[in-house]
């Protein structure tokens, strides 16, 4: 039987290779980091607030946008003419939640959406929000978000 005569040789070669691998010293760590962050590089873990004003759909508002790691997280608006407020929450470009005044009435709207944009909650006061109210808030959220991101990016490039 030739297989049984090969087994000791294979085991001997494996033992020699194993011993050789274990006897090597581990590689030393580089003395300098491979990648360095420079002072001009943006800080990725920063949270910041940005304030501005805008009038999407002719309804002027002051807003405060909150950014984390360079992405907008939320936006709070106060409409100048009526002092009505609204809070928008985002994940990337997607509106996830709105809570605040309706655009066409004194109702308080509560809207929630999933990541695909499906409406999960749509309340206007004590009744269901209309499709027109939902569309109006989505459009306003998109306009305010776009304005905030553009203005934030422009202001970020102006920093020394």
């Amino acid at each position: 039987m030739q297989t049984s005569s090969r087994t000791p040789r294979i085991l001997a070669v494996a033992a020699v290779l194993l011993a050789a691998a274990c006897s090597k010293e581990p590689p030393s760590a580089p003395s300098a980091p491979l990648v360095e962050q420079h002072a001009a590089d943006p800080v990725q873990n920063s949270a910041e607030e940005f304030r501005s004003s805008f009038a999407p759909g002719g309804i002027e508002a002051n807003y405060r946008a909150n950014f984390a790691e360079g992405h907008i997280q939320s936006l709070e608006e106060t409409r100048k003419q009526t002092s009505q407020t609204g809070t928008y929450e985002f994940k990337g470009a997607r509106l996830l939640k709105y809570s605040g005044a309706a655009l066409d009435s004194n109702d308080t709207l509560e809207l929630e959406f999933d990541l695909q944009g499906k409406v999960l909650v749509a309340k206007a006061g004590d009744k269901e929000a209309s499709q027109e109210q939902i569309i109006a808030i989505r459009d306003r959220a998109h306009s305010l978000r776009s304005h905030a991101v553009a203005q934030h990016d422009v202001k970020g490039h102006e920093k020394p």
Side-chain angles (χ1 to χ4, degrees), residues 56 59 77 79 84-90 95-104 107-113 123 129-145:
I59 302 171
E77 73 166 322
R79 298 175 196 139
Q84 292 176 316
T85 61
T87 302
Y88 305 82
E89 293 178 23
F90 300 95
L95 175 65
L96 294 181
K97 188 174 183 179
Y98 173 79
S99 179
L103 296 172
D104 62 353
D107 286 335
T108 297
L109 287 180
E110 295 293 329
L111 303 175
E112 289 185 37
F113 308 92
K123 294 182 183 176
S130 69
Q131 280 298 325
E132 291 79 19
Q133 289 173 315
I134 295 169
I135 291 167
I137 290 298
R138 276 186 163 154
D139 288 349
R140 187 165 183 82
H142 176 73
S143 294
L144 286 167
R145 181 196 167 282

Side-chain angles (χ1 to χ4, degrees), residues 57-115:
I59 302 171
E60 193 171 355
N62 290 323
Y63 67 81
R64 181 178 73 205
N66 295 298
F67 288 80
E69 297 181 7
H71 300 285
I72 191 167
Q73 304 296 306
S74 64
L75 187 143
E76 297 171 27
E77 73 166 322
T78 301
R79 298 175 196 139
K80 288 185 179 179
Q81 218 169 20
T82 61
S83 297
Q84 292 176 316
T85 61
T87 302
Y88 305 82
E89 293 178 23
F90 300 95
K91 173 107 180 173
R94 181 73 67 186
L95 175 65
L96 294 181
K97 188 174 183 179
Y98 173 79
S99 179
L103 296 172
D104 62 353
S105 71
N106 289 327
D107 286 335
T108 297
L109 287 180
E110 295 293 329
L111 303 175
E112 289 185 37
F113 308 92
D114 68 11
L115 288 173

